[in-house]
Amino acid sequence: MKPLLLVEDSDPDAEALMRIAKRLPLPVPVVRVRDGESALDYLYRRGAYADVERPVLILLDLHMPGINGRQVLATLKADPDLRAIPVIIFSSSVEEGDVEGAYADGANSYLFKPEVGPQLQATAEALHAFWFRAARLPEQEPEA
């Protein structure tokens, strides 16, 4: 089953999101990678990720050390084999340049990442309601 790929360098944020995901009726597993380099390795199935399923949806932090979220987004949206995967930017940045740049690079949506607590829960529930109930995601790859 194709997962939701969480690309998040903050352990507290990732752990909170994983706890919330367990309480939601997500129809897919959640897989976390900690940085942009690992995200690209996952998406291109390199190294330890050689046998993974490509994700059905990507939740991508913008500001990470090394390869940042904008670079990951630009790389995957330039690749014909990856560009159809919806990408949700999930960032604490409210800078207009970050928002505009993410959309210019092909983000499907930009969600503000609130502090851990009730607002994060509400944001995760809204994401779940839209992307897993209202929206239709691209078809899965045929099984080999």
Side-chain angles (χ1 to χ4, degrees):
M1 177 180 293
K2 289 185 166 191
L4 180 156
L5 180 63
L6 172 61
V7 185
E8 175 60 67
D9 64 320
S10 166
D11 287 335
D13 289 350
E15 289 164 9
L17 284 167
M18 297 294 269
R19 280 193 307 274
I20 292 168
K22 286 180 183 176
R23 291 192 299 264
L24 294 173
L26 282 181
V28 298
V30 178
V31 174
R32 180 209 180 185
V33 295
R34 288 178 164 80
D35 55 45
E37 184 176 351
S38 297
L40 292 174
D41 286 346
Y42 190 99
L43 291 164
Y44 286 104
R45 299 175 176 154
R46 298 186 292 229
Y49 304 111
D51 297 323
V52 299
E53 289 268 4
R54 286 223 170 108
V56 68
L57 186 68
I58 300 169
L59 194 57
L60 179 64
D61 188 16
L62 275 187
H63 299 289
M64 299 179 289
I67 298 172
N68 66 37
R70 291 268 314 268
Q71 293 167 309
V72 171
L73 178 63
T75 299
L76 74 95
K77 291 302 181 177
D79 187 314
D81 292 332
L82 299 174
R83 74 175 64 153
I85 301 170
V87 179
I88 303 163
I89 300 300
F90 197 57
S91 177
S92 56
S93 173
V94 294
E95 295 293 323
E96 196 59 33
D98 284 340
V99 176
E100 289 179 10
Y103 280 114
D105 288 340
N108 296 89
S109 62
Y110 190 109
L111 294 177
F112 176 71
K113 179 175 36 176
E115 295 293 321
V116 173
Q119 287 184 324
L120 182 61
Q121 174 78 30
T123 300
E125 288 172 358
L127 181 150
H128 172 260
F130 179 77
W131 285 102
F132 291 105
R133 290 191 183 150
R136 179 169 175 152
L137 293 168
E139 295 295 322
Q140 293 190 356
E141 296 173 15
E143 295 294 329

